[in-house]
Amino acid sequence: MKKRIFAGILTALMAASLVACGGAGDSAPAAGGDDAGTTTEAGAGDDGEKIIVGFAQVGHESDWRTASTKSVQDAFSEANGYDLEFVDCDNDSAKQIEAVRQFIQDDVDYIVIDPIVSTGWDTVLTECEDAGIPVIVIDRTIEDSDKYVSWVGSEFMNEGLAAGAWLKAYAEAKGISDINVLVIEGSNGSSAQIGRTDGFKKYADEEGWKIIDSQDGDFTQDGGQKVMESYCKSYAGKFNVVVCQNDNEAFGAMDAMKAAGVEYGVDKDVILISFDACKAGLEYVQAGDINADFMCYPLQGEYCAQIIQQLKNGEDVEKQTFMTEPWYVAEDILPSITYTNNSGKEVTEDLVVVTDAASQASY
Ligand code: GYE
């Protein structure tokens, strides 16, 4: 299918979709986003030709990323009528911009981007617009350009706020008054790192918790392990909370703490908090090694395919679609937590106790 049919309507679509934009949660799917996948009638273009989609993926740094890649590849399979050009950008922003330019050269019908960093996008998105190719952004956000049709992903600030709100209630329930935190951040400059850092910091500031240090672990197990090894040397005996901004960092941090003789998890010296809630992460929650794990839902491929079908049919699309994400915990001591989210809305969130990770995890 040729992109030219979209060239004339792209600007109008973008304007319409901006109007259709909802606030956080307005268009959220059911928990875990599992209503997607049943609604999409992805298929070949009306002319029987395959729809060509270029996808510039962040890299392959985590279990979350593996699930994300599979979800997009499944949604844009040949059987579904797509021809997917997949580029693993290996966490290299320059490579990602290059990949997008190559998609333009290749005259693809749609471009999907999971932006490694949130800035530096306006020039290349203008090039996409000039070429008449609609861009869909998934997962991480772009902050310095709105030249994309639609975004599907998570409210990372809410994830950080969730970790803060949970820690506040948990510390109260356990009678812990002195909170000294070490943070292992995700890849610096990514919206996931920025939102999770800012959300948690808001609680730390309000509650007077001490953030002893906060360093980049690059969302990898190796990165998490290295940062934690150095933390264990520099801050031995001085911390009682470790916040890892994804599960893989937490796996590395656990190895480093184990090697240093630091005990973590339920009723141990260190409260361990993580994000993503992938299957291996939830297994550690079930075992009581990770105290709380805040889901970030990666299976966004079907949402993306749905948007492309809507565009193909000339329909308006939502500018933003937010995933709904449960909070998983190891202990059954707090049923729910009420907090104010990033939209200023008071929300009560049930805490899901992990009793059977294998069946509770979907990725
Ligand atoms: O949390 C992490 C991945 O962008 C939300 O990137 C995503 C993050 C996810 O590597 O595991």
Side-chain angles (χ1 to χ4, degrees), residues 58 61-65 114-115 139-140 154 156 159 187 190-192 196 218-220 245-248 275-276 296:
V58 168
E61 70 283 1
S62 64
D63 289 22
W64 191 101
R65 190 62 54 202
D114 188 330
D139 173 29
R140 301 180 185 176
S154 303
F156 301 116
E159 293 176 353
S187 306
S190 68
S191 64
R196 288 171 190 168
D218 226 4
F219 281 133
T220 64
Q245 288 185 354
N246 81 342
D247 282 341
N248 292 79
F275 296 87
D276 281 359
C296 182

Side-chain angles (χ1 to χ4, degrees), residues 17-18 20-30 32-36 39 136-141 148-156 158-159 296-308 310 316-325:
S17 64
L18 270 166
C21 154
D26 284 0
S27 56
D34 50 13
D35 61 341
T39 48
I136 295 142
V137 179
I138 64 167
D139 173 29
R140 301 180 185 176
T141 54
Y148 56 89
V149 183
S150 188
W151 166 85
V152 176
S154 303
E155 172 53 283
F156 301 116
N158 281 350
E159 293 176 353
C296 182
Y297 191 70
L299 308 184
Q300 295 158 1
E302 282 296 341
Y303 290 81
C304 210
Q306 215 165 350
I307 290 162
I308 286 181
Q310 287 171 323
D316 287 349
V317 295
E318 295 287 347
K319 183 77 177 180
Q320 297 176 301
T321 304
F322 290 90
M323 303 291 102
T324 302
E325 304 173 321

Side-chain angles (χ1 to χ4, degrees), residues 72-217:
V72 173
Q73 286 173 335
D74 288 351
F76 296 114
S77 65
E78 280 199 25
N80 283 345
Y82 293 95
D83 185 354
L84 179 66
E85 281 188 32
F86 175 82
V87 180
D88 175 337
C89 300
D90 204 15
N91 218 18
D92 177 341
S93 298
K95 190 169 171 185
Q96 191 164 42
I97 303 278
E98 230 173 79
V100 174
R101 293 209 162 107
Q102 188 60 49
F103 296 150
I104 297 172
Q105 289 264 305
D106 294 348
D107 202 20
V108 302
D109 296 313
Y110 299 90
I111 292 175
V112 179
I113 303 171
D114 188 330
I116 295 168
V117 291
S118 59
T119 54
W121 285 101
D122 200 53
T123 305
V124 75
L125 291 192
T126 304
E127 290 166 26
C128 296
E129 190 180 60
D130 290 346
I133 304 175
V135 172
I136 295 142
V137 179
I138 64 167
D139 173 29
R140 301 180 185 176
T141 54
I142 284 175
E143 299 301 333
D144 61 353
S145 178
D146 67 353
K147 293 185 179 120
Y148 56 89
V149 183
S150 188
W151 166 85
V152 176
S154 303
E155 172 53 283
F156 301 116
M157 179 82 177
N158 281 350
E159 293 176 353
L161 289 169
W166 173 82
L167 180 60
K168 180 183 172 201
Y170 183 76
E172 274 167 19
K174 292 271 181 179
I176 303 166
S177 53
D178 198 18
I179 301 278
N180 296 291
V181 190
L182 289 170
V183 180
I184 304 181
E185 296 180 21
S187 306
N188 280 191
S190 68
S191 64
Q193 172 264 326
I194 295 165
R196 288 171 190 168
T197 303
D198 292 351
F200 184 79
K201 192 173 174 304
K202 186 167 177 279
Y203 270 89
D205 290 347
E206 277 170 20
E207 299 301 313
W209 301 334
K210 185 170 181 202
I211 297 188
I212 304 169
D213 208 339
S214 193
Q215 288 181 25
D216 187 350

Side-chain angles (χ1 to χ4, degrees), residues 265-304:
V266 173
D267 294 331
K268 296 286 174 20
D269 298 335
V270 171
I271 296 167
L272 183 56
I273 296 173
S274 185
F275 296 87
D276 281 359
C278 67
K279 186 162 172 281
L282 290 188
E283 280 165 1
Y284 283 112
V285 178
Q286 187 180 349
D289 294 323
I290 293 176
N291 298 71
D293 201 343
F294 298 87
M295 185 198 259
C296 182
Y297 191 70
L299 308 184
Q300 295 158 1
E302 282 296 341
Y303 290 81
C304 210

